[in-house]
């Protein structure tokens, strides 16, 4: 099982930027894609973005053009560069490997997440 650790959250004013990081040792060697999720207080966790092992990316509509996901395969890390942040982006952000279930060789459990707070 791959263990993920998120970091880089903080508090910013609306319009500001943050870069989140996620370490996932072994993800690259196993050929695993990665994704970011977020969960706002009182709401369900939602998918934000994916990056596949070939580098292709997808985004949830509300973050398109503002967020950029990237990967450092050498360091088994992914990043989420967030720009033009809005108060509605306030949430705890989680990364995870893309897997089909606990028996998938890419499976990772949820990490602790990193909090992002955007003030209006």
């Amino acid at each position: 099982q791959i263990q993920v650790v998120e970091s880089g959250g903080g508090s910013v004013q609306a319009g500001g930027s943050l870069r989140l990081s996620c370490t996932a040792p072994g993800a690259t060697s196993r050929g695993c894609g990665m994704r970011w999720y977020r969960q706002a207080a009182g709401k369900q966790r939602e998918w934000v973005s994916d990056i596949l092992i070939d580098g292709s990316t997808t985004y949830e509509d509300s973050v398109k053009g503002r967020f950029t996901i990237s990967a450092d395969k050498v360091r088994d890390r992914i990043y989420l560069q967030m720009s033009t942040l809005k108060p509605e982006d306030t949430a705890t952000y989680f990364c995870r490997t893309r897997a089909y279930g606990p028996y998938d060789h890419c499976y990772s459990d949820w990490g602790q997440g990193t909090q992002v707070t955007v003030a209006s």
Side-chain angles (χ1 to χ4, degrees):
Q1 179 172 321
I2 297 171
Q3 303 290 334
V4 299
V5 179
E6 305 94 340
S7 62
S11 297
V12 296
Q13 293 292 318
S17 299
L18 280 174
R19 188 177 81 154
L20 307 183
S21 298
C22 168
T23 60
T28 300
S29 62
R30 299 184 191 191
C32 305
M34 298 289 297
R35 58 184 25 163
W36 285 98
Y37 294 86
R38 65 185 179 185
Q39 186 169 20
K43 295 187 177 181
Q44 289 190 330
R45 196 165 345 210
E46 64 176 1
W47 169 78
V48 174
S49 180
D50 274 3
I51 185 164
L52 304 185
I53 198 65
D54 65 1
S56 59
T57 59
T58 50
Y59 299 92
E60 191 271 330
D61 284 347
S62 70
V63 307
K64 282 180 182 176
R66 300 189 299 120
F67 290 11
T68 302
I69 189 171
S70 61
D72 180 340
K73 294 181 180 180
V74 173
R75 294 180 175 83
D76 276 333
R77 287 182 183 174
I78 63 166
Y79 303 97
L80 188 68
Q81 178 66 48
M82 306 186 296
S83 303
T84 319
L85 282 162
K86 303 176 181 179
E88 51 263 43
D89 294 318
T90 295
T92 302
Y93 284 72
F94 301 86
C95 72
R96 203 172 183 187
T97 50
R98 295 179 76 250
Y100 292 101
Y103 300 106
D104 188 312
H105 69 287
C106 286
Y107 180 79
S108 68
D109 210 339
W110 293 104
Q112 292 188 333
T114 187
Q115 176 67 36
V116 171
T117 302
V118 184
S120 57

